C-alpha cells in the first residue's frame, strides 16, 4: 500500500481535472490517476476523425495542466480495481494507493447493447485512439476507392445513433465527401461515396426541441446524408448491417455512436448501479452507502435541484468536479457538504459548415444556423484545455472554413 494522501481521483477528464484544480486551490493533497498521460477533449473527436483538426489540439498532458502546483500528483496508470470501504485503488501493475476520500471520475465506454457484431465490426468514437482509428480507416477506404475506379460504389459509411455525436460525425464525413474528396481524390470517387445515419428512434437529436430536430434533418439531407430512422440495428457483419424491420444496408465503415455506459471499474466496485450502469449519486455527489466516495461526470447519474437527471455533458462533469472538491474540503474540515447546484447552459450540436443547433440556458432559447455555428465554435474554444490548443484549433477551423483544405493527417493504423 502506497502513502496515504488526502484525495485520490480516478480519471483526468472534465470532472477529474476540475476537481483536482479546485482541491489544489484549497491546498488539499491529491493523486490523480489516468491510464493516458493526457487529458482528452471528447467533443472534438469527430473533427479529428474527419481530419479537420489534429490530435495535439484535443489533447493536453495532465502533467502540463498541474505543473504549477505541488498539491496535485499525476499518476499515469490504469486503475484495475477500487476498494470503496478503504478508499483505495489498485493499478494494473499491482500497486495500491489509499486516501481519505476517493473520487471516481473515470468516464464511460461505448454501449453496444449486446448487438451481435457491433463490438467487432464498428468504429466507436470515445477516445483519441478511436478517432485516429476511424480517420485512418476512412482515408484507407478512400485510397482503395481511388485506386480501383472500376468499383461500383465509393466509400459507404453508416453512422449508428442519431444523437449529437452521430449527427456531428455524419455531417463532417458528408462534408468531406462533398468538398474535400473531389479535390484530394476525384469527383468520380466523391460521387460514389455515401453516408447513412440510422437510429432505432423515429427522430434525430432526441432531447432537442422539434424545431431543432427538423432543422437537423433538413441540413443533413441537403448535405447528402441519407436517414433511416425508426428501426434498430440487430446485427453488424463485415460489410453490412441488418435492421429489426428486416432491411439490410451495405457498409464499408460503420461508426458506432449508439450510446454509452459506465465502465467495468464501477461495475465491479460493489456500488449499486442505476441507468447506464452508472452510480445514482446523492445530491452532494456521493455514492450512497459508501462514506467518502464521490462519483462524478459520465460515471454517475447526477441530478439537478429538482431531481431531474443531468445529461452527460462536459459542462455538467466540469461543474460537478468543482462542486465535489468544495464538498470534500468541507468534509475534511468537519463541515457539512452541500447539494450540487447545476447551472444549466443548454445543449448544442454541430451539423456542418455554417449549420448548428443550440438551445441555450435553462429556458432553452432556440438558435439555428450560422449564429448557432459561431456559438458552438466559441463555447468549444473556451472549454478546450490550454492556450496552444485553442489557438491551433482556431487556425484549423479558419483554414477549413476559408479554403476547404485539410492539413492534418490521422496517425492511427486501420489494422
Ligand atoms: C464523441 C463525443 C462528443 C461529445 N460532445 C460533447 C459536446 O459537444 N459538448 C459537451 O458538453 N459534451 C460532449 N460530450 C460529452 C462529454 O465529453 C462527457 O460528458 C465528458 O467528457 C465527461 O467527463 P468525465 O470527466 O466524466 O469523463 P471523461 O472525460 O471521459 O474522462 C474520463 C477519464 O478517465 C480515464 N480512465 C478511464 N478508466 C480509467 C481507469 N481504469 N484507470 C485510469 N484512468 C481511467 C480516461 O482515460 C479519461 O481520461 C461528448 C462526448 C463524446 C464521446
Amino acid at each position: 500500500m502506497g502513502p496515504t494522501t488526502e484525495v485520490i481521483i480516478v480519471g483526468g477528464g472534465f470532472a477529474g481535472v476540475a476537481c483536482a484544480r479546485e482541491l489544489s486551490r484549497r491546498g488539499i493533497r491529491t493523486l490523480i490517476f489516468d491510464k493516458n498521460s493526457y487529458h482528452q477533449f471528447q467533443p472534438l473527436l469527430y473533427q479529428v476523425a474527419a481530419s479537420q483538426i489534429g490530435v495535439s489540439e484535443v489533447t493536453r498532458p495532465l502533467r502540463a495542466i498541474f505543473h504549477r502546483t505541488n498539491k496535485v500528483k499525476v499518476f499515469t496508470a490504469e486503475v484495475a480495481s477500487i476498494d470503496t470501504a478503504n478508499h483505495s485503488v489498485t493499478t494494473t501493475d499491482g500497486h495500491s494507493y489509499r486516501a481519505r476520500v476517493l473520487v471516481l471520475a473515470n468516464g464511460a465506454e461505448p454501449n453496444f447493447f449486446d448487438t451481435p457484431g457491433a463490438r467487432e465490426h464498428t468504429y466507436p468514437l470515445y477516445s483519441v485512439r478511436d478517432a485516429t482509428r476511424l480517420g485512418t480507416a476512412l482515408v484507407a477506404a478512400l485510397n482503395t476507392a481511388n485506386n480501383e475506379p472500376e468499383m461500383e460504389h465509393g466509400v459507404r459509411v453508416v453512422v449508428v445513433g442519431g444523437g449529437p455525436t452521430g449527427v456531428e460525425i455524419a455531417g463532417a464525413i458528408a462534408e468531406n465527401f462533398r468538398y474535400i474528396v473531389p479535390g484530394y481524390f476525384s469527383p468520380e470517387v466523391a460521387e460514389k461515396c455515401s453516408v447513412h445515419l440510422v437510429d432505432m428512434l423515429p427522430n434525430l437529436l432526441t432531447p432537442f426541441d422539434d424545431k431543432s430536430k427538423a432543422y437537423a434533418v433538413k441540413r443533413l439531407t441537403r448535405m447528402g446524408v441519407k436517414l433511416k430512422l425508426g428501426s434498430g440495428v440487430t446485427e453488424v457483419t463485415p460489410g453490412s448491417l441488418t435492421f429489426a424491420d428486416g432491411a439490410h444496408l451495405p457498409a464499408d465503415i460503420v461508426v458506432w455512436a449508439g450510446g454509452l455506459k459506465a465502465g467495468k471499474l464501477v461495475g465491479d466496485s460493489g456500488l449499486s448501479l442505476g441507468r447506464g450502469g452508472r452510480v445514482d449519486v446523492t445530491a452532494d455527489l456521493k455514492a450512497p452507502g459508501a462514506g467518502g466516495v464521490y462519483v462524478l461526470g459520465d460515471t454517475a447519474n447526477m441530478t439537478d435541484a429538482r431531481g431531474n437527471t443531468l445529461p452527460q455533458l462536459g459542462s455538467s462533469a466540469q461543474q460537478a468536479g468543482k462542486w465535489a472538491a468544495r464538498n470534500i474540503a468541507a468534509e475534511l474540515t468537519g463541515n457539512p457538504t452541500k447539494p450540487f447546484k447545476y447551472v444549466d447552459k443548454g445543449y448544442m450540436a454541430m451539423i456542418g459548415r455554417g449549420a448548428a443547433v443550440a438551445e441555450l440556458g435553462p429556458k432553452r432559447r432556440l438558435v439555428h444556423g450560422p449564429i448557432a455555428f459561431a456559438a458552438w465554435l466559441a463555447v468549444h474554444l473556451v472549454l478546450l484545455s490550454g492556450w496552444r490548443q485553442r489557438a491551433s484549433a482556431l487556425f484549423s477551423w479558419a483554414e477549413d472554413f476559408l479554403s476547404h483544405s485539410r492539413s492534418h493527417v490521422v496517425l492511427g493504423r486501420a489494422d
Side-chain angles (χ1 to χ4, degrees):
M1 182 77 63
T4 302
T5 185
E6 284 174 295
V7 182
I8 282 178
I9 300 175
V10 185
F14 280 103
V17 165
C19 187
R21 276 201 170 121
E22 186 64 23
L23 289 169
S24 134
R25 262 196 285 275
R26 290 162 185 266
I28 296 171
R29 280 180 298 118
T30 303
L31 297 184
I32 182 164
F33 287 83
D34 202 294
K35 57 187 174 189
N36 300 313
S37 59
Y38 51 84
H39 166 79
Q40 58 189 350
F41 189 77
Q42 288 170 349
L44 294 180
L45 290 179
Y46 84 92
Q47 296 197 355
V48 174
S51 307
Q52 286 175 0
I53 62 174
V55 167
S56 61
E57 286 152 39
V58 296
T59 51
R60 188 172 175 212
L62 282 163
R63 285 172 212 284
I65 295 176
F66 295 108
H67 80 286
R68 289 188 200 283
T69 171
N70 59 7
K71 294 292 174 197
V72 179
K73 208 168 164 192
V74 174
F75 267 71
T76 303
E78 181 164 358
V79 173
S81 64
I82 50 180
D83 178 340
T84 54
N86 281 315
H87 306 153
S88 70
V89 301
T90 302
T91 54
T92 46
D93 55 9
H95 296 294
S96 293
Y97 304 82
R98 188 153 56 90
R100 289 172 70 189
V101 176
L102 178 60
V103 178
L104 301 177
N106 51 292
E109 58 182 51
N111 193 348
F112 297 104
F113 299 101
D114 296 325
T115 311
R119 183 181 293 279
E120 298 80 10
H121 308 302
T122 69
Y123 290 84
L125 193 54
Y126 194 69
S127 63
V128 169
R129 197 169 306 165
D130 291 341
T132 55
R133 191 172 151 255
L134 170 59
T136 305
L138 283 166
V139 174
L142 282 165
N143 280 323
T144 306
N146 194 57
N147 297 346
E148 295 175 28
E150 68 285 358
M151 256 169 59
E152 260 176 39
H153 58 80
V155 181
R156 297 162 302 182
V157 175
V158 178
V159 177
V160 181
T165 300
V167 165
E168 286 174 347
I169 188 67
I173 295 173
E175 267 190 355
N176 276 2
F177 287 168
R178 174 168 288 196
Y179 297 115
I180 307 295
V181 173
Y184 281 35
F185 293 87
S186 75
E188 293 75 34
V189 170
E191 249 169 47
K192 289 193 287 181
C193 292
S194 64
V195 183
H196 277 84
L197 178 56
V198 307
D199 199 300
M200 64 189 293
L201 296 174
N203 45 257
L204 301 175
L205 298 177
T206 296
F208 286 68
D209 183 89
D210 283 348
K211 284 186 188 144
S212 305
K213 289 178 184 140
Y215 179 82
V217 167
K218 190 174 89 185
R219 290 302 302 223
L220 285 170
T221 311
R222 196 187 291 172
M223 280 151 58
V225 176
K226 294 177 187 111
L227 302 177
K228 174 163 176 43
L229 303 174
S231 184
V233 174
T234 53
E235 189 176 8
V236 186
T237 53
S240 131
L241 297 97
T242 306
F243 292 83
D245 61 8
H248 297 276
L249 206 52
D252 302 301
I253 291 177
V254 181
V255 182
W256 191 265
L260 297 172
K261 59 177 183 178
K264 193 172 171 306
L265 194 60
V266 171
D268 293 346
S269 66
L271 295 172
S272 73
L273 306 178
R275 192 162 176 264
R278 295 179 284 264
V279 178
D280 292 334
V281 289
T282 56
D284 57 357
L285 301 171
K286 285 198 260 188
V293 179
Y294 287 76
V295 190
L296 311 174
D298 279 4
T299 315
N301 290 318
M302 307 184 293
T303 50
D304 64 13
R306 291 194 194 133
N308 301 316
T309 304
L310 299 179
Q312 271 82 51
L313 288 176
S315 87
S316 55
Q318 229 172 26
Q319 290 182 44
K322 201 168 174 186
W323 196 277
R326 291 189 197 135
N327 277 347
I328 291 166
E331 210 174 332
L332 291 175
T333 50
N335 289 304
T337 57
K338 289 189 181 154
F340 178 38
K341 275 200 197 128
Y342 173 62
V343 180
D344 187 348
K345 295 179 180 168
Y347 303 115
M348 285 181 169
M350 174 66 85
I351 301 168
R353 206 179 165 73
V357 289
E359 302 189 0
L360 306 173
K363 294 202 172 141
R364 300 278 180 266
R365 211 170 84 75
L366 297 188
V367 192
H368 302 151
I371 296 175
F373 175 75
W376 188 99
L377 295 179
V379 165
H380 286 78
L381 209 55
V382 172
L383 268 176
L384 255 179
S385 182
W387 287 106
R388 204 202 57 73
Q389 284 77 357
R390 286 184 195 128
S392 184
L394 195 58
F395 186 83
S396 297
W397 290 338
E399 184 191 31
D400 179 32
F401 196 80
L402 297 172
S403 69
H404 275 314
S405 70
R406 297 281 188 274
S407 312
H408 298 286
V409 282
V410 277
L411 298 173
R413 278 184 62 92
D415 52 3

